[in-house]
């Protein structure tokens, strides 16, 4: 055998191109490769373009500019499965771009995309083809194309796909398509509701949400509602509502249930299973009153939750409720009013009802049904609370008269609600003035005497709001409204007691009413209330002080103290120390010193004479003086009038406060018998002098100016009265055994002009007896008073 010779390899044919590996970093180059006849190049080019498109919207726009869309559409029908799959994936991503969508509609590729939904295709092709259709179906023209090319049937079939992405894309596309009526009819023929209901069991919230949104649209059709009920769809919805973890689905589930309420059989089923608890209804489109009523009731229950109120407001539930107010059915009106009351917790809802809702509710206040009036008044009470604009809207819509009429209703709830609205209106001064012409004050007498604590509380609150004006206080006093108001101070209910105290505090702003309140025992009751840590409140304390501050004569007799802010005016009288048990009762006393200098007569303005008469009428009648039919007035005091003139002329111009006090003290001492010594005090026959004056006047009432021999408390009263006239701040303090004195506050002269926080002023007792004009610094009250007195 000869030696074997190695066979040489045959060279490739001359007409075959050698394999070439290309690495491109330019999208434009890859786009050009889409026109290649080679399957491997097409597949790799599509894969590269897919990754590029995934990176963002700018890349999608770039591919569009490079002309990639048109050659890609041809690859959707390519014979090679990989090429076809990769091209489909690209369109699933690109179709989210609006410009790409427009071009795809022009190229009429819908039939090619729908073809990729065939059962024999891979799951990944189903995923991206359905994604492409979901993106395209957001626009009306594409909806029409999908329906025309039979895209609905394969989409419904893919709802049962094992792949969650395919399910999500398919149901999203169907949801978009259901915006069209023809599509909803076609879905019913395809029996699409059962597979959509199955999606509610999905573990993916986005799929559940899309399924609920789809059901919310298709159940507008009666046949769809029937199908839903027959397939136990209500059970699925109720389970969602009962599952707290699915609260993000509740609003959509309620939307479906709201549609189902138009079906009476479904309504009964939902009621039995408790599905009405959280309902967002589009019931204004329904003509069945029971559906409207129950839908509004469901909103009411759900609206107590803040998050639900927010969702309801976002869904514009207010429009629905306003429409329901116009129903001819009383039950629907009541339910809608109650729903509005609940929605008032949302600020946005309150503002919405300002123009739409308040006028309709005021109409309901005139209803023949007391239940309707009560529900409407409750809604108005909530709408106007802490919302001045709504309170103004009520007044401007002529709501005051019907509200006043409701105050005489037999239903306590309606009365309390009406009182609340009126109080809210009265909180605004421009509106409050107009309330009196509607008889608000007299209408409140009944509610003030009510046995219901809520009514009592709201009525007292309304008095507090309306009695800010003199006319209202006068009407309340003249109509007998103060007596039941004072009785409410005894209430065991904290809110009633608080609101009654508030009202008394407001009413005590004028002296006439303050005196009347004291006669009725308000001061006694408030004193008792304020002694109890559990019963007192800030208003009870303020009311007590207000009563005293507007009846300084009574305050001084009760407390033995007037501060520098308690300015003595004409008509002040001092009938000695009294106890709480004597308030409002006139006793025979040894001395009543009066401060009264105004002369009535010619030369006075009419309003000044009226004011004088009012001030004088505050003095109580005294026993044994005149007939019961005739009121007693204090005598004119010309001497005190002269005192005022003299101190105003000679002391008022002095610029140094300390000097003013000293000069005034000497002046008072001079007018009251001059300087005294402690040793000769017992020889100072002031008692005889006072007795002679009372005999001369035939009265226990002695004008302060006629007292020429005055002891401690005479001088202290005169000093306080004159100091108040010329603006010197001083207090009047009653001691024991007929003693009284004045205290003033002065800044330490050595501290004047220093930089920094100044110490508080120092308190001095003014000597009016032994060393008139002397000032004794008050360090230890008991010790210093002992030395002085």
């Amino acid at each position: 055998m000869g030696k074997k010779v190695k066979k040489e390899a045959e060279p490739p044919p001359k007409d075959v191109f050698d394999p070439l590996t290309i690495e491109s970093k330019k999208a434009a180059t890859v786009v050009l490769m889409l026109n290649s006849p080679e399957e491997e190049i097409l597949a790799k080019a599509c894969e590269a373009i897919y990754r590029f498109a995934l990176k963002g919207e700018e890349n999608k726009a770039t591919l569009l500019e490079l002309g990639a869309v048109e050659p890609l559409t041809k690859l959707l029908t390519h014979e090679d499965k990989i090429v076809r799959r990769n091209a489909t994936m690209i369109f699933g991503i690109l179709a989210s771009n609006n410009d790409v969508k427009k071009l795809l509609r022009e190229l009429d590729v819908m039939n090619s995309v729908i073809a990729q939904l065939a059962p024999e295709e891979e799951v990944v092709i189903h995923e991206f083809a359905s994604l492409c259709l979901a993106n395209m179906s957001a626009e009306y023209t594409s909806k029409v194309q999908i329906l025309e090319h039979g895209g609905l049937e394969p989409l419904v079939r893919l709802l049962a796909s094992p792949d969650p992405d395919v399910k999500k894309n398919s149901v999203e596309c169907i949801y978009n398509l259901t915006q069209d009526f023809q599509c909803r009819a076609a879905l019913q023929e395809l029996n699409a509701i059962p597979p959509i209901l199955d999606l509610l069991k999905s573990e993916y919230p986005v799929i559940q949400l899309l399924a609920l949104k789809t059901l919310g649209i298709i159940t507008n059709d009666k046949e769809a509602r029937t199908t839903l009920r027959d397939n136990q769809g209500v059970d699925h919805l109720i389970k969602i509502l009962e599952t707290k973890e699915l609260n993000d689905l509740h609003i959509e589930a309620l939307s479906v249930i709201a549609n189902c309420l138009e079906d009476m059989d479904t309504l009964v089923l939902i009621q039995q299973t408790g599905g009405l608890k959280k309902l967002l209804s589009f019931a204004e489109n329904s003509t069945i009153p029971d559906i409207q009523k129950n839908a509004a009731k469901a909103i009411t229950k759900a609206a107590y939750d803040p998050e639900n109120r927010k969702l309801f407001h976002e869904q514009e539930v207010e429009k629905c409720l306003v429409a329901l107010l116009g129903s001819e059915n009383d039950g629907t009106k009541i339910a809608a009013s109650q729903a509005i009351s609940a929605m008032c917790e949302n600020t946005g809802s309150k503002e919405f009802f300002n123009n739409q809702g308040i006028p309709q509710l005021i109409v309901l206040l005139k209803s023949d049904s007391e239940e309707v009036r009560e529900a409407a008044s409750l809604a108005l009470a909530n709408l106007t609370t802490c919302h001045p604009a709504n309170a103004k809207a009520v007044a401007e819509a002529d709501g005051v008269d019907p509200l006043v009429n409701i105050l005489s209703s037999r239903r306590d709830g309606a009365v309390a609600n009406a009182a609340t609205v009126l109080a809210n209106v009265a909180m605004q001064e421009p509106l409050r003035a107009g309330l009196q012409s509607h008889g608000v004050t007299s209408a409140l007498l009944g509610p003030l005497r009510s046995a219901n604590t809520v009514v009592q509380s709201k009525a007292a609150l309304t008095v507090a709001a309306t009695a800010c004006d003199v006319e209202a206080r006068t009407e309340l006093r003249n109509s007998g409204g103060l007596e039941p108001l004072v009785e409410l101070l005894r209430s065991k209910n904290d809110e009633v007691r608080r609101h009654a105290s508030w009202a008394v505090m407001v009413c005590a702003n004028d002296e006439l009413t303050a005196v009347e309140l004291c006669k009725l025992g308000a001061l006694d009751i408030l004193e008792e209330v304020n002694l109890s840590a559990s019963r007192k409140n800030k208003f009870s304390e303020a009311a007590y002080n207000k009563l005293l501050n507007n009846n300084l004569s009574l305050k001084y007799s009760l407390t033995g103290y007037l501060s520098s802010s308690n300015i003595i005016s004409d008509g002040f009288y001092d009938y000695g120390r009294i106890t709480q048990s004597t308030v409002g009762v006139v006793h025979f006393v040894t001395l009543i010193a009066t401060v009264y200098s105004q002369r009535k007569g010619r030369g006075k303005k009419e309003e000044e004479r009226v004011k004088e008469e009012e001030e004088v009428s505050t003095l109580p009648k005294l026993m044994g003086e005149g007939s019961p039919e005739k009121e007693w007035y204090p005598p004119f005091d010309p001497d005190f009038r002269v005192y005022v003139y003299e101190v105003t002329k000679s002391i008022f111009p002095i610029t140094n406060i300390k000097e003013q006090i000293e000069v005034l003290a000497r002046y008072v001492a001079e007018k009251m018998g001059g300087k005294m010594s402690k040793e000769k005090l017992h020889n100072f026959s002031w008692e005889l002098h006072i007795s002679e004056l009372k005999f001369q006047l035939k009265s226990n009432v002695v004008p302060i100016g006629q007292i020429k021999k005055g002891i401690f408390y005479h001088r202290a009263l005169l000093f306080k009265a004159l100091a108040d006239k010329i603006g010197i701040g001083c207090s009047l303090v009653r001691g024991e055994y007929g003693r009284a004195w004045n205290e003033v506050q002065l800044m330490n002269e050595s501290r004047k002009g220093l930089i920094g926080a100044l110490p508080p002023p120092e308190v001095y007792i003014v000597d009016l007896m032994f060393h008139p004009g002397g000032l004794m610094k008050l360090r230890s009250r008991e010790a210093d008073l002992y030395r002085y007195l």
Side-chain angles (χ1 to χ4, degrees):
M1 294 179 63
K3 187 177 180 181
K4 292 183 178 180
V5 179
K6 185 177 180 181
K7 186 177 181 180
E8 293 182 1
E10 296 183 1
K14 294 180 179 180
D15 58 344
V16 175
F17 191 81
D18 293 338
L20 177 64
T21 302
I22 299 177
E23 181 178 339
S24 176
K25 294 184 179 180
K26 297 291 185 180
T29 303
V30 179
V31 169
L32 293 174
M33 296 169 64
L34 294 176
N35 294 311
S36 172
E38 295 185 50
E39 298 172 353
E40 185 176 356
I41 292 177
L42 292 174
K44 291 183 177 180
C46 288
E47 185 177 349
I49 290 175
Y50 169 77
R51 291 195 301 268
F52 182 73
L54 274 178
K55 293 180 180 179
E57 290 297 318
E58 292 183 359
N59 290 357
K60 296 174 186 177
T62 299
L63 291 172
L64 179 64
E65 293 174 359
L66 293 174
V69 175
E70 188 168 354
L72 281 170
T73 59
K74 300 176 181 179
L75 300 182
L76 288 174
T77 56
H78 199 279
E79 296 179 354
D80 185 81
K81 182 177 293 188
I82 297 177
V83 173
R84 194 167 63 251
R85 180 194 66 192
N86 291 353
T88 304
M89 292 171 64
I90 294 173
F91 278 116
I93 302 300
L94 286 181
S96 64
N97 183 280
N98 291 329
D99 293 329
V100 172
K101 288 184 203 176
K102 181 179 179 181
L103 180 56
L104 288 176
R105 288 195 301 271
E106 295 173 356
L107 295 174
D108 196 17
V109 299
M110 201 64 71
N111 192 45
S112 300
V113 176
I114 293 173
Q116 309 306 312
L117 302 179
E120 63 271 17
E121 294 291 351
E122 297 177 4
V123 171
V124 68
I125 292 181
H126 288 166
E127 175 187 347
F128 286 94
S130 59
L131 177 60
C132 178
L133 292 176
N135 287 328
M136 294 284 290
S137 61
E139 298 179 3
Y140 175 77
T141 306
S142 297
K143 289 186 178 73
V144 174
Q145 290 181 348
I146 293 172
L147 287 175
E148 289 178 349
H149 289 86
L152 194 56
E153 186 275 335
L155 286 169
V156 171
R157 174 171 42 79
L158 289 178
L159 292 177
S161 171
D163 186 84
D165 289 323
V166 176
K167 289 181 179 179
K168 181 264 179 185
N169 296 336
S170 299
V171 71
E172 183 177 2
C173 185
I174 292 173
Y175 167 69
N176 291 335
L177 293 174
T178 54
Q179 313 296 323
D180 182 76
F181 173 79
Q182 292 180 342
C183 176
R184 295 198 294 272
L187 281 174
Q188 187 63 26
E189 294 177 0
L190 293 170
N191 195 28
I193 289 181
I196 294 176
L197 285 173
D198 286 338
L199 295 181
L200 297 179
K201 304 174 186 177
S202 172
E203 61 182 292
Y204 297 94
V206 65
I207 294 178
Q208 293 174 307
L209 185 62
L210 287 168
L212 284 171
K213 286 185 174 181
T214 304
L215 290 172
I217 295 177
I218 62 179
T219 52
N220 283 307
D221 301 324
K222 184 176 181 180
E223 292 182 0
R225 292 196 294 270
T226 302
T227 303
L228 181 75
R229 186 180 68 248
D230 293 343
N231 286 273
Q232 291 77 46
V234 174
D235 293 336
H236 291 298
L237 297 170
I238 298 300
K239 288 179 181 178
I240 290 175
L241 293 179
E242 293 174 345
T243 306
K244 294 182 180 180
E245 291 76 11
L246 300 178
N247 58 1
D248 56 332
L249 305 177
H250 286 180
I251 193 66
E252 298 300 334
L254 287 167
S255 178
V256 181
I257 294 176
N259 290 339
C260 294
L261 289 180
E262 296 181 30
D263 221 16
M264 290 306 299
D265 293 334
T266 308
L267 172 60
V268 173
L269 178 62
I270 294 176
Q271 287 176 327
Q272 292 173 347
T273 54
L276 284 176
K277 291 181 179 179
K278 296 179 179 179
L279 172 64
L280 179 63
S281 171
F282 303 101
E284 72 259 41
N285 297 320
S286 173
T287 58
I288 303 175
D290 284 341
I291 293 176
Q292 295 177 321
K293 178 181 65 176
N294 286 290
K297 284 184 176 181
I299 293 173
T300 302
K301 294 178 180 179
Y304 287 115
D305 180 79
E307 290 301 316
N308 287 342
R309 283 197 298 271
K310 181 180 178 181
L311 291 172
F312 288 154
H313 178 60
E314 292 174 352
Q315 297 296 318
E316 297 183 327
V317 72
E318 297 88 354
K319 292 181 179 179
C320 168
L321 297 176
V322 172
L324 295 182
L325 291 177
S327 170
E328 296 181 0
N329 181 271
D330 284 348
T332 302
K333 295 175 183 176
I334 294 170
S337 298
Q338 292 171 342
I340 290 175
S341 299
M343 286 299 299
C344 285
E345 292 295 324
N346 182 284
T347 304
S349 296
K350 261 190 176 181
E351 294 174 353
F352 176 91
F353 290 123
N354 180 267
N355 296 321
Q356 303 180 53
I358 287 180
Q360 292 87 336
L361 288 167
I362 290 175
V363 171
L364 298 186
L365 293 179
K366 306 171 187 177
S367 170
D368 294 332
S369 168
E370 289 193 351
E371 291 85 355
V372 172
R373 294 200 297 270
E374 180 175 357
S377 63
L378 175 61
L380 288 172
N382 290 342
L383 280 170
T384 55
T385 298
C386 300
H387 203 289
N390 284 351
K392 182 180 180 181
V394 169
E396 292 178 345
D398 299 325
V400 175
D401 275 337
L403 287 168
V404 171
N405 293 335
I406 289 178
L407 290 178
S408 59
S409 171
R410 293 174 296 178
R411 298 180 70 90
D412 289 336
V415 176
N417 297 334
T420 301
V421 180
L422 291 170
N424 292 335
V425 173
M427 293 294 183
Q428 300 180 65
E429 185 176 354
L431 303 179
R432 184 170 60 245
L435 289 180
Q436 296 309 311
S437 61
H438 297 274
V440 172
T441 301
S442 58
L444 285 171
L445 298 183
L448 286 173
R449 294 186 172 95
S450 172
N452 185 287
T453 55
V454 176
V455 174
Q456 293 172 348
S457 172
K458 301 303 181 183
L461 181 62
T462 307
V463 171
T466 57
C468 296
D469 300 324
V470 176
E471 295 80 5
R473 292 194 292 270
T474 302
E475 184 178 349
L476 185 68
R477 185 176 66 249
N478 294 339
S479 62
L482 295 181
E483 184 176 357
L485 181 62
V486 170
E487 285 302 311
L488 294 183
L489 295 173
R490 305 180 188 271
S491 175
K492 296 181 180 180
N493 182 280
D494 291 343
E495 187 174 88
V496 173
R497 201 165 54 251
R498 181 168 57 252
H499 287 169
S501 299
W502 187 356
V504 168
M505 180 189 72
V506 174
C507 290
N509 272 313
D510 65 76
E511 193 169 352
L512 287 171
T513 309
V515 169
E516 185 66 25
L517 286 167
C518 290
K519 288 181 180 180
L520 293 170
L523 212 56
D524 285 331
I525 301 171
L526 288 169
E527 172 76 10
E528 180 186 351
V529 168
N530 290 334
L531 290 175
S532 171
S534 60
R535 298 181 65 202
K536 72 176 181 179
N537 55 73
K538 291 183 179 180
F539 287 115
S540 67
E541 295 173 337
Y544 180 79
N545 292 328
K546 179 71 76 171
L547 282 173
L548 292 181
N549 288 336
N550 281 283
N551 191 338
L552 295 183
S553 300
L554 180 60
K555 179 177 182 179
Y556 186 50
S557 294
L558 279 174
T559 66
Y561 180 79
L562 294 181
S563 69
S564 58
S565 62
N566 296 140
I567 306 300
I568 289 180
S569 59
D570 290 346
F572 178 88
Y573 54 95
D574 173 20
Y575 52 95
R577 184 190 300 275
I578 61 173
T579 62
Q580 288 291 338
S581 60
T582 63
V583 175
V585 181
V586 177
H587 294 270
F588 183 83
V589 293
T590 58
L591 170 67
I592 299 181
T594 66
V595 176
Y596 192 77
S597 66
Q598 296 285 341
R599 179 190 296 276
K600 294 185 288 182
R602 290 177 297 176
K604 282 186 172 291
K605 295 181 180 179
E606 179 64 25
E607 57 268 23
E608 291 177 346
R609 292 201 297 272
V610 172
K611 183 179 180 182
E612 279 183 11
E613 292 169 0
E614 289 180 348
E615 290 175 339
V616 172
S617 66
T618 62
L619 295 173
K621 294 180 181 179
L622 300 180
M623 294 177 62
E625 297 177 337
S627 64
E629 292 80 13
K630 186 177 180 180
E631 293 231 5
W632 176 88
Y633 294 99
F636 173 63
D637 189 353
D639 293 316
F640 181 72
R641 184 182 181 88
V642 172
Y643 294 168
V644 174
Y645 173 78
E646 290 179 349
V647 299
T648 302
K649 184 177 181 180
S650 61
I651 301 176
F652 180 71
I654 299 174
T655 58
N656 185 280
I657 299 295
K658 183 174 180 292
E659 185 179 349
Q660 278 186 318
I661 294 170
E662 292 170 346
V663 174
L664 180 60
R666 290 192 290 270
Y667 180 89
V668 169
E670 177 187 345
K671 299 302 180 183
M672 285 285 182
K675 177 181 178 182
M676 300 297 300
S677 65
K678 292 183 181 181
E679 293 78 14
K680 297 181 180 181
L681 185 60
H682 62 281
N683 295 326
F684 186 52
S685 56
W686 64 273
E687 294 96 338
L688 179 60
H689 173 63
I690 296 299
S691 297
E692 291 174 347
L693 286 175
K694 287 197 281 186
F695 179 78
Q696 178 185 345
L697 296 170
K698 294 181 174 58
S699 171
N700 283 332
V701 180
V702 180
I704 192 71
Q706 294 190 25
I707 301 175
K708 306 305 179 184
K709 288 187 176 182
I711 197 68
F712 292 98
Y713 64 89
H714 302 134
R715 299 186 182 204
L717 175 57
L718 180 58
F719 184 89
K720 169 68 172 169
L722 293 174
D724 287 347
K725 292 292 185 182
I726 61 175
I728 297 177
C730 76
S731 61
L732 176 62
V733 187
R734 188 196 303 279
E736 301 293 337
Y737 310 110
R739 267 41 174 186
W741 62 91
N742 303 101
E743 295 177 1
V744 296
Q745 294 184 347
L746 294 173
M747 184 64 67
N748 191 323
E749 294 290 334
S750 63
R751 301 291 298 176
K752 287 186 176 181
L754 296 181
I755 299 175
L758 294 177
E762 297 171 334
V763 180
Y764 294 84
I765 296 175
V766 182
D767 191 340
L768 302 172
M769 290 289 295
F770 309 121
H771 302 283
L775 299 176
M776 180 183 298
K777 188 174 181 181
L778 195 60
R779 297 180 179 86
S780 171
R781 181 176 295 274
E782 293 184 2
D784 291 334
L785 289 177
Y786 179 79
R787 286 191 294 117
Y788 169 58
L789 302 176

